[in-house]
Amino acid sequence: MGKPIKNITIVGGGTAGWLAAAFLNRYCTAEDPRKSINITLVESPDIPIVGVGEASLPGMVVLLHQLGITESEFFESTDATFKVAAHFVNWNHDKNGNAIEYLNILNAPPILEGHALADYFVSFDPSRGDSHAGMSYVKSFSPVVPIVTGNLSPRNPEDPEFSGEIGYTYHFDATKLAAFLRNIATRRGVKHIVDNVDSVTLDERGFVASLQLREHDEHKVDFIIDCTGFRGSILQRTLGEPFESYSDYLLNDRAAVIQIPLKDPLNIPPVTRATAFSAGWNFNIPLTTRVGTGYVFSSQFISDDDAIQELLRAYDVRDGEPRIIPIRTGRVRNAWVKNCVGLGLAGGFIEPLEATAIFMTDLAVRWLRRFFPTTDFEPALISAYNRHVHRLYDEVRDLVQLHYHLNNRQDSAYWRAAREGVQLSDRLRDNLQIWRSRTPEDMDLESTFLFGAPVYALLLIAKGFYAEAHLANAPFLNRSVYDRYRQAMRTARARQLKNLVPQGEFLRNGGALLRPKTTAHVSPPFGGFAQPSTKIKLPPFPLKPTKN
């Protein structure tokens, strides 16, 4: 068996690089210093980060806790706000051509007498065929809709950190998040080299042996993590690992992005809004200091100039020039090749519709720790890691594509093509046939790393998929069970919303209300949903390295 790896080199900063550095430093530090791993991050002074991934999934809550970061310091350092849902507008139309709205939320529905809540809703709820079916379904198990319409915080001022009545995550300034993670990582022992990599030397096996740095001479490499963004400087350019495009599945290949002023600091929505435009969609991410917005579009259907004008008109912006970011959707064939792993954009990218980028990086770093090799770089470990990454990217691709495939818009060539002119994976095509007869189950899916069956069920209901459905298991459902459940939820709703205040008020004075005396236990996300518990106190940080 090979010897333990002593050094990890990360090339590239940004959120991916510094997240990896902070996490590996936290979980690859042994009590015996002789067994610890040295982590070095090499960051170019000349290459800016992309800096537009500013929304997250519930895993971010778990990550902050595990890194020993309080919500108060995170909010104050990154201009963060709460996110309780993704709010989709104009992706589908009702029979009169009016825009339909729906929410993809972060709370899981219950199981009632062995059946999914979606089964009861589709079978018995009078609103199942309405244009607002998605909102009605969310109301049936979560207080998110009044929280969204009231721009409320999911935590009341007395809640412990990382807790609340519903699952939540965050919006944040991506540039400030990278700097925040950098400060944490370097303070805890990660070595930071600011320099350009002029060349890469390979050994006789084709492994990366060293980096030639412009100002710091040669840097020896044991194990290297490529976080150089879309360039893929090490994994793709040096090691020649090919990129596998998802362009047959997803049309969008460009984004026009701009930052605009926050009009009302006391009225901050706790949602990422995704509004369909003529040839793509617009994201709106509210922070405490500004709003990040942009137009993710397909160059087959609109030019850069026209996309910019459509974006500026939507916000009545007369000053400022959106920057254009080319998007390459897909993944490298293998994320781990020889002694190099590609993370973040260097490993792949799926458009930001479900805010998956940071969570995918987080998950990939966790898997890397699980499959960490010796100097033999065991092929079985590498193969298993790559297999998980493949499944992860395909899972996200299918869920994102379903938003487009189930649109019913007839007013745009783009939306018709997104529905009819792209390829569906065999798994998704087969599942859509299965789901005509029953609601989704986890066993239908190749993986549920991010999105489980409840997420698919919510999306199908919101899109009108079950408007005329008759489920095969309907005879086994008891309507009185659903009626009693609905009454119990109406009774519970007042308690769930009690003491919640507007998010702007909660975050006022630089997050003064973010400093409760206690911290809650954080349950890991499951299947795209989070359910934090408020009952268990966390031990103080730092902790001794443990398995998790």
Side-chain angles (χ1 to χ4, degrees):
M1 185 173 180
K3 298 178 181 179
I5 289 174
K6 292 293 186 182
N7 299 287
I8 297 174
T9 300
I10 301 170
V11 180
T15 301
W18 287 113
L19 188 158
F23 185 87
L24 293 173
N25 180 71
R26 166 71 180 87
Y27 284 102
C28 293
T29 301
E31 290 183 302
D32 184 347
R34 294 172 298 179
K35 297 179 181 179
S36 292
I37 294 177
N38 299 311
I39 300 174
T40 301
L41 189 145
V42 180
E43 184 174 30
S44 171
D46 302 323
I47 301 175
I49 66 172
V50 174
V52 295
E54 300 194 324
S56 60
L57 290 175
M60 190 73 177
V61 179
V62 179
L63 176 67
L64 293 182
H65 161 243
Q66 291 182 331
L67 293 180
I69 298 169
T70 65
E71 280 191 320
S72 55
E73 64 177 318
F74 170 72
F75 272 70
E76 291 175 1
S77 298
T78 65
D79 301 338
T81 59
F82 288 113
K83 170 188 170 183
V84 299
H87 184 189
F88 292 87
V89 181
N90 201 32
W91 289 66
N92 284 59
H93 290 166
D94 66 15
K95 61 183 180 181
N96 297 317
N98 299 315
I100 291 174
E101 301 182 28
Y102 58 92
L103 297 174
N104 189 6
I105 73 168
L106 309 176
N107 279 90
I111 300 295
L112 301 181
E113 292 199 348
H115 295 280
L117 179 64
D119 292 349
Y120 290 92
F121 183 88
V122 170
S123 298
F124 302 129
D125 201 285
S127 66
R128 71 167 190 173
D130 296 343
S131 61
H132 58 270
M135 290 295 200
S136 297
Y137 178 56
V138 169
K139 288 179 182 178
S140 74
F141 67 90
S142 170
V144 162
V145 172
I147 288 173
V148 169
T149 56
N151 289 335
L152 302 179
S153 165
R155 274 181 48 197
N156 72 56
E158 302 303 319
D159 285 336
E161 289 198 335
F162 305 117
S163 71
E165 280 296 336
I166 65 169
Y168 64 78
T169 183
Y170 314 105
H171 303 125
F172 41 78
D173 184 309
T175 301
K176 290 185 177 181
L177 175 62
F180 179 61
L181 293 172
R182 179 194 66 209
N183 293 339
I184 289 171
T186 54
R187 194 165 62 238
R188 296 176 182 176
V190 172
K191 184 179 180 181
H192 184 201
I193 298 176
V194 180
D195 205 346
N196 289 295
V197 177
D198 283 338
S199 62
V200 180
T201 301
L202 305 181
D203 64 16
E204 66 280 358
R205 302 170 297 170
F207 283 50
V208 177
S210 65
L211 308 175
Q212 185 61 46
L213 305 181
R214 188 169 302 171
E215 304 295 336
H216 291 78
D217 298 323
E218 187 179 40
H219 175 81
K220 298 290 187 181
V221 168
D222 294 340
F223 189 25
I224 190 165
I225 298 176
D226 184 350
C227 294
T228 59
F230 285 123
R231 299 180 308 281
S233 299
I234 311 298
L235 184 62
Q236 296 176 58
R237 293 189 179 184
T238 300
L239 296 181
E241 190 63 12
F243 183 85
E244 297 187 348
S245 174
Y246 284 167
S247 60
D248 289 341
Y249 302 89
L250 297 166
L251 295 174
N252 295 335
D253 58 358
R254 310 280 280 176
V257 300
I258 192 171
Q259 297 174 3
I260 61 177
L262 180 68
K263 293 183 178 179
D264 186 355
L266 292 180
N267 197 33
I268 302 176
V271 294
T272 304
R273 192 169 69 243
T275 303
F277 277 11
S278 67
W281 61 279
N282 162 241
F283 62 85
N284 180 290
I285 300 176
L287 307 182
T288 57
T289 55
R290 61 167 172 82
V291 173
T293 187
Y295 186 178
V296 181
F297 63 93
S298 169
S299 61
Q300 298 178 53
F301 295 88
I302 194 170
S303 68
D304 288 357
D305 288 342
D306 287 344
I308 287 172
Q309 291 307 309
E310 186 175 357
L311 174 62
L312 296 180
R313 284 196 305 271
Y315 288 94
D316 193 24
V317 173
R318 292 176 173 79
D319 298 322
E321 181 69 22
R323 61 187 174 111
I324 295 293
I325 300 175
I327 294 175
R328 186 176 63 163
T329 300
R331 59 169 172 81
V332 291
R333 182 179 60 187
N334 290 299
W336 186 345
V337 177
K338 301 183 185 299
N339 66 334
C340 177
V341 171
L343 289 180
L345 299 179
F349 181 70
I350 296 175
E351 65 169 78
L353 185 63
E354 286 287 354
T356 56
I358 291 177
F359 192 98
M360 293 172 77
T361 300
D362 180 7
L363 199 55
V365 173
R366 294 172 187 275
W367 289 341
L368 181 57
R369 185 177 71 91
R370 289 292 192 184
F371 294 103
F372 203 80
T374 70
T375 53
D376 282 346
F377 287 93
E378 291 78 3
L381 296 177
I382 296 174
S383 177
Y385 178 90
N386 284 329
R387 186 166 60 251
H388 284 306
V389 172
H390 295 170
R391 292 167 62 201
L392 173 62
Y393 272 89
D394 289 350
E395 174 187 325
V396 175
R397 178 201 63 201
D398 283 358
L399 191 279
V400 168
Q401 188 179 28
L402 197 58
H403 285 278
Y404 294 97
H405 179 67
L406 295 180
N407 92 81
N408 66 350
R409 291 180 52 168
Q410 300 294 337
D411 60 330
S412 159
Y414 169 86
W415 288 102
R416 291 192 295 271
R419 178 175 61 250
E420 303 164 358
V422 293
Q423 178 179 336
L424 292 180
S425 70
D426 292 340
R427 173 78 64 172
L428 184 55
R429 183 183 299 106
D430 291 346
N431 277 334
L432 286 170
Q433 293 302 314
I434 294 170
W435 296 337
R436 290 290 178 188
S437 301
R438 65 163 172 79
T439 60
E441 297 183 11
D442 280 349
M443 67 180 179
D444 302 334
L445 307 171
E446 182 69 23
S447 67
T448 55
F449 295 128
L450 273 71
F451 303 116
V455 181
Y456 281 88
L458 191 160
L459 180 56
L460 292 170
I461 290 170
K463 293 281 195 174
F465 189 80
Y466 292 114
E468 306 294 334
H470 298 281
L471 301 183
N473 69 342
F476 311 137
L477 304 176
N478 188 332
R479 181 162 194 154
S480 65
V481 170
Y482 186 57
D483 290 340
R484 289 196 302 271
Y485 166 78
R486 290 183 66 190
Q487 180 57 45
M489 284 296 97
R490 284 192 288 268
T491 302
R493 193 68 74 237
R495 177 190 60 79
Q496 292 174 315
L497 297 172
K498 185 179 180 180
N499 298 326
L500 295 186
V501 300
Q503 175 167 212
E505 178 183 343
F506 189 97
L507 299 173
R508 74 177 187 268
N509 300 324
L513 292 177
L514 279 164
R515 300 188 182 92
K517 296 180 180 179
T518 57
T519 301
H521 168 73
V522 180
S523 300
F526 177 76
F529 292 108
Q531 292 178 299
S533 165
T534 62
K535 298 180 180 179
I536 305 174
K537 290 186 66 176
L538 291 170
F541 186 87
L543 306 173
K544 292 182 179 179
T546 59
K547 295 181 180 180
N548 72 335

